[in-house]
């Protein structure tokens, strides 16, 4: 199930775990590392988190399983194009099909929003493999998928 992030302590903790403590997939077929760089950097407090998930710049959606947030995406909609900024699955659930399930639900959400194309930048090898499995192709330096 996809939903917006809520102003709760539980959602806040899971948001921080996904966006600030999960590293990109630099290895193919391996769970991504914990992002230790952000451990010592500024992590938004609960109030700033709320303003982030309610901003006009990016939209944030949570992917839930049994009531828990296990994935997240940040993106922008510009006309009929979606620009994915970040897409994460909890490290403990990576490589178990949850990324594919989340992306499939997210794509349906975008189709309902009349989106015709999705763009993203991927540079980490594991991420590139994932996005190619989801049907994306390289276009210049971006990965792109037309929905019609």
């Amino acid at each position: 199930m996809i939903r917006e992030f809520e102003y709760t302590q539980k959602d806040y903790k899971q948001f921080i775990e996904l966006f600030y403590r999960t590293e990109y997939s630099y290895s193919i077929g391996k769970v991504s590392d914990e992002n230790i760089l952000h451990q010592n950097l500024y992590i938004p407090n609960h109030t700033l988190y709320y303003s982030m998930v309610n901003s006009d710049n990016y939209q944030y959606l949570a992917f839930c399983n049994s009531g828990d947030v296990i994935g997240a995406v940040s993106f922008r909609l510009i006309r009929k194009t979606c620009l994915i900024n970040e897409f994460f699955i909890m490290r403990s659930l990576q490589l178990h099909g949850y990324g594919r399930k989340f992306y499939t639900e997210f794509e349906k959400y975008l189709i309902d929003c009349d989106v015709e194309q999705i763009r993203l930048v991927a540079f980490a090898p594991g991420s590139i493999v994932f996005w190619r499995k989801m049907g994306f192709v390289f276009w210049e330096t971006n990965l792109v998928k037309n929905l019609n």
Side-chain angles (χ1 to χ4, degrees), residues 107-121:
E107 186 175 290
K108 289 175 186 172
Y109 169 87
L110 294 175
I111 290 169
D112 289 344
C113 293
D114 268 347
V115 169
E116 294 178 358
Q117 186 179 72
I118 303 167
R119 294 182 182 202
L120 60 94
V121 175

Side-chain angles (χ1 to χ4, degrees), residues 2 59 61 75 77 79-82 84 102-118 134 136 145-148:
I2 290 180
Q59 294 180 44
L61 292 177
F75 63 99
L77 295 178
R79 294 181 208 83
K80 294 192 176 274
T81 300
C82 171
I84 295 177
F102 180 20
Y103 174 74
T104 301
E105 283 192 42
F106 181 58
E107 186 175 290
K108 289 175 186 172
Y109 169 87
L110 294 175
I111 290 169
D112 289 344
C113 293
D114 268 347
V115 169
E116 294 178 358
Q117 186 179 72
I118 303 167
M134 298 303 106
F136 286 77
K145 181 177 183 180
N146 290 320
L147 298 180
N148 59 0

